[in-house]
């Protein structure tokens, strides 16, 4: 017989506890152990007035933002609805059953005001990172660096030609931020090349076709991670070009050393960081082993000898060609002072039996050599060793974090516009990823038996 649901009169009193309702193994319980916001509140107090009506507690907004980024809730309007309905979210945000959830517009007002003025999100990221260091999850010996493109909140069909520039009547917060970073080497000053298209909605976003499909407007998120447990030790937004990504790597290494006294012995990276200047900076200025793929285009495709076919004698500072002749340099630097040219004599090349394979169209062969070639040679030597092979495998941990960022945290497209918006989203996402890593690697304490 089909049963019937009993319709009972509502009870006058209920006994309900959020603390007992949230399971002991819930993810939010795992990360709640590491969210300590007392110091952040003290730093933020200078940005609030001492009189007037009390504001919404900044701890509440920070905890709500952490919920949103940990669970991939991209909309702040939807986040407010979820926190209102979900009991576990209420417990984590310290709202209880009757606490009021702030309006979604509150986040925008604080983000454009106090949060950015105080650099609160950077402080939040560093607070969680410091906890990772204290828990022994950061070895500090080997770092890996990489960048990934994140689509901007800009319609590719509404772009205007870069040579024409923005219309004079255009004005918005994103445009003001774009004008403010024109001299920043990570954005406007990263290259003199005018982009093909500019988005009026977000001019700082770079038009790029790096993925091989349709071009789109994007920013780059740059990660510096410790390879032991893939903890993100720094994050930096830049425009989506290689020069800016290299600059971001330098900034992150220097900032990590200054803020946390972390000096890695080696840096892992792909060929984007394998320029001669970058490798020299790592070796000569930072004392870091470059476990980086060398960016080298010296190989020839016409069948003639490439630079690697010439042996360099460091003691005599000369090259020896395949025919046994010597190439010397006058010491004059070319290409903005970064390159020396080593030349063979015309007499040697004219009488050489290998001329057709060496310099068939020129009177004598010349070989360029960077003034930073010693650092490139060091990187090549490391790449051929077993340590280099291990490093190429370990640096994939950065790519795994980017995959997690886009597929799990849903940050494959930005919701905020402008460089500041990218800065806020990337910092919050990196903070959420470190919190998830803490929850995974540090087990919950076992309850004591009665």
């Amino acid at each position: 017989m089909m049963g019937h649901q009993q319709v009972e009169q509502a009870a006058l009193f209920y006994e309900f506890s959020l603390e007992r309702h949230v399971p002991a193994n819930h993810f939010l319980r795992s990360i709640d152990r590491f969210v300590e916001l007392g110091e952040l509140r003290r730093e933020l107090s200078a940005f609030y007035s001492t009189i007037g009506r009390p504001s919404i507690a900044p701890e509440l907004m920070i905890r709500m933002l952490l919920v949103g980024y940990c669970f991939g809730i991209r909309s702040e309007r939807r986040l407010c609805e979820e926190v209102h309905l979900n009991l576990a979210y209420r417990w984590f945000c310290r709202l209880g059953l009757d606490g009021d959830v702030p309006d979604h517009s509150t986040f925008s007002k604080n983000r454009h005001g106090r949060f950015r003025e105080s650099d609160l999100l950077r402080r939040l990221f560093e607070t969680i990172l410091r906890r990772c260091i204290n828990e022994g999850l950061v070895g500090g010996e080997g770092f890996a660096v990489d960048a990934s493109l994140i689509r901007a909140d800009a319609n590719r069909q509404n772009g205007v030609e870069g040579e024409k520039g923005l219309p004079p009547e255009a004005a918005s917060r994103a445009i003001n931020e774009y004008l403010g970073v024109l001299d920043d080497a990570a954005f406007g000053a990263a290259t003199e090349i005018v982009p093909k298209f500019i988005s009026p909605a977000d001019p700082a976003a770079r038009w790029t076709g790096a993925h091989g499909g349709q071009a789109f407007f994007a920013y780059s998120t740059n990660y510096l991670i410790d390879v032991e447990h893939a903890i993100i030790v720094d994050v930096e937004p830049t425009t989506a070009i290689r020069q800016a990504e290299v600059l971001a790597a330098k900034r992150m290494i220097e900032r990590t050393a200054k803020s946390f006294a972390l000096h890695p012995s080696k840096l892992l990276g792909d060929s984007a960081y394998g320029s001669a200047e970058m490798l020299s900076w790592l070796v000569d200025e930072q004392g870091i082993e470059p476990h980086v793929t060398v960016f080298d285009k010296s190989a020839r495709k016409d069948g003639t000898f490439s630079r690697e076919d010439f042996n360099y004698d460091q003691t005599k500072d000369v090259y020896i060609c395949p025919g046994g002749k010597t190439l010397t340099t006058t010491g004059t630097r070319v290409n903005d002072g970064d390159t020396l040219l080593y030349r063979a004599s015309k007499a040697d090349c004219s009488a050489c039996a290998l001329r057709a394979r060496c310099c068939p169209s020129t009177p004598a062969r010349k070989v360029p050599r960077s003034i930073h070639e010693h650092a490139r040679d060091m990187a090549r030597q490391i790449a051929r060793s077993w340590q280099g092979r291990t490093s190429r495998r370990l640096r994939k941990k950065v790519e795994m974090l980017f995959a997690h960022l886009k597929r799990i945290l849903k940050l494959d497209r930005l919701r905020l516009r402008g460089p500041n918006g990218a800065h806020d989203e990337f910092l919050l996402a990196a903070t959420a990823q470190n919190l998830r890593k803490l929850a995974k690697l540090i087990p919950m304490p076992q309850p004591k038996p009665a």
Side-chain angles (χ1 to χ4, degrees):
M1 180 177 66
M2 184 180 295
H4 295 275
Q5 183 178 5
Q6 297 293 330
V7 180
E8 298 180 358
Q9 183 178 357
L12 294 176
F13 301 99
Y14 288 94
E15 182 182 356
F16 186 85
S17 171
L18 275 179
E19 183 66 32
R20 293 199 305 267
H21 181 78
V22 179
N25 60 350
H26 196 281
F27 170 73
L28 287 179
R29 281 195 182 274
S30 297
I31 70 171
D32 185 64
R33 300 171 289 161
F34 310 111
V35 180
E36 300 172 357
L37 304 178
E39 184 64 29
L40 294 179
R41 181 180 181 85
R42 286 188 288 273
E43 292 183 9
L44 199 59
S45 61
F47 296 86
Y48 284 83
S49 173
T50 57
I51 60 175
R53 188 178 66 177
S55 69
I56 294 174
E59 298 94 330
L60 170 58
M61 288 184 285
I62 293 173
R63 285 181 174 272
M64 289 181 64
L65 287 172
L66 289 177
V67 168
Y69 278 82
C70 284
F71 289 94
I73 304 174
R74 303 287 297 122
S75 167
E76 288 170 357
R77 188 186 297 270
R78 179 168 169 252
L79 173 63
C80 293
E81 296 173 354
E82 293 289 337
V83 172
H84 176 71
L85 296 172
N86 191 301
L87 294 178
Y89 295 172
R90 279 185 167 273
W91 172 85
F92 180 77
C93 296
R94 309 293 192 262
L95 281 172
L97 286 175
D98 300 326
D100 293 330
V101 178
D103 188 77
H104 65 90
S105 62
T106 306
F107 292 96
S108 178
K109 293 177 182 178
N110 282 273
R111 181 170 56 246
H112 296 303
R114 301 182 183 97
F115 286 7
R116 285 182 183 167
E117 292 172 5
S118 63
D119 204 10
L120 177 67
L121 299 182
R122 167 66 64 179
R123 301 281 83 77
L124 174 64
F125 170 80
E126 292 178 349
T127 299
I128 301 302
L129 174 59
R130 190 170 289 106
R131 185 62 183 270
C132 294
I133 296 173
N134 294 339
E135 294 289 347
L137 300 183
V138 177
E141 296 182 1
F143 284 178
V145 64
D146 205 353
S148 183
L149 295 179
I150 305 294
R151 292 178 182 268
D153 184 26
N155 192 331
R156 63 184 305 274
Q157 297 179 348
N158 293 338
V160 298
E161 294 184 15
E163 295 181 353
K164 294 182 179 179
L166 296 171
E169 66 276 5
S172 67
R173 181 182 288 112
I175 291 179
N176 293 334
E177 291 181 13
Y178 162 70
L179 297 175
V181 297
L182 282 178
D183 296 329
D184 189 342
F187 288 96
T191 177
E192 297 179 355
I193 299 175
V194 178
K196 186 175 182 180
F197 293 103
I198 297 178
S199 169
D202 192 352
R206 188 79 181 184
W207 179 261
T208 177
H211 284 172
Q214 283 189 333
F216 56 94
F217 294 106
Y219 287 92
S220 283
T221 178
N222 299 267
Y223 275 6
L224 182 68
I225 74 165
D226 183 90
V227 295
E228 186 170 349
H229 292 291
I231 297 295
I232 304 169
V233 296
D234 208 346
V235 56
E236 180 85 3
T238 62
T239 189
I241 58 174
R242 177 178 295 181
Q243 298 94 312
E245 294 168 0
V246 172
L247 173 70
K250 293 181 179 180
R251 285 182 178 178
M252 291 188 293
I253 291 172
E254 292 174 339
R255 184 164 52 211
T256 304
K258 181 180 179 181
S259 301
F260 299 97
L262 294 175
H263 302 274
S265 60
K266 59 185 177 181
L267 180 73
L268 288 56
D270 57 24
S271 60
Y273 308 92
S275 65
E277 182 182 4
M278 177 64 179
L279 294 174
S280 176
W281 181 83
L282 288 172
V283 175
D284 299 330
E285 297 186 30
Q286 302 297 317
I288 300 174
E289 288 186 2
H291 291 237
V292 179
T293 304
V294 178
F295 182 75
D296 191 355
K297 290 188 175 181
S298 63
R300 295 190 172 187
K301 299 180 180 180
D302 58 359
T304 59
F305 292 130
S306 299
R307 185 171 59 194
E308 63 181 11
D309 297 315
F310 293 72
N311 295 322
Y312 179 70
D313 188 336
Q314 187 174 1
T315 58
K316 297 180 179 180
D317 189 24
V318 297
Y319 272 100
I320 307 299
C321 75
K325 303 300 181 180
T326 302
L327 287 76
T328 60
T329 179
T330 62
T332 303
R333 296 183 180 183
V334 297
N335 296 340
D336 297 329
D338 291 337
T339 306
L340 295 171
L341 288 180
Y342 291 74
R343 303 175 186 270
S345 68
K346 292 183 180 179
D348 288 341
C349 290
S350 298
C352 184
L354 300 175
R355 175 182 174 84
R357 294 187 58 195
C358 187
C359 53
S361 58
T362 56
R365 180 62 187 263
K366 58 184 178 181
V367 175
R369 178 180 175 85
S370 170
I371 60 174
H372 308 300
E373 197 68 25
H374 65 285
R376 289 157 59 92
D377 290 340
M378 182 178 180
R380 293 189 186 101
Q381 183 178 1
I382 292 173
R384 291 191 292 266
S385 65
W386 66 268
Q387 293 96 334
R389 292 191 292 271
T390 302
S391 296
R392 286 193 291 273
R393 185 181 71 253
L394 290 177
R395 78 184 185 204
K396 294 180 181 179
K397 291 185 177 183
V398 194
E399 300 172 5
M400 294 170 63
L401 283 171
F402 289 141
H404 179 270
L405 176 72
K406 297 176 181 180
R407 299 186 63 181
I408 306 301
L409 302 189
K410 312 297 183 184
L411 190 56
D412 55 346
R413 181 187 177 101
L414 290 172
R415 188 179 52 82
L416 306 179
R417 292 176 176 173
N420 286 336
H423 174 270
D424 293 351
E425 292 219 59
F426 294 160
L427 276 173
L428 280 168
T431 303
Q433 287 182 294
N434 280 348
L435 275 173
R436 294 175 69 101
K437 185 72 70 171
L438 276 168
K440 178 181 179 181
L441 297 179
I442 306 300
M444 288 282 289
Q446 297 296 324
K448 297 181 179 179

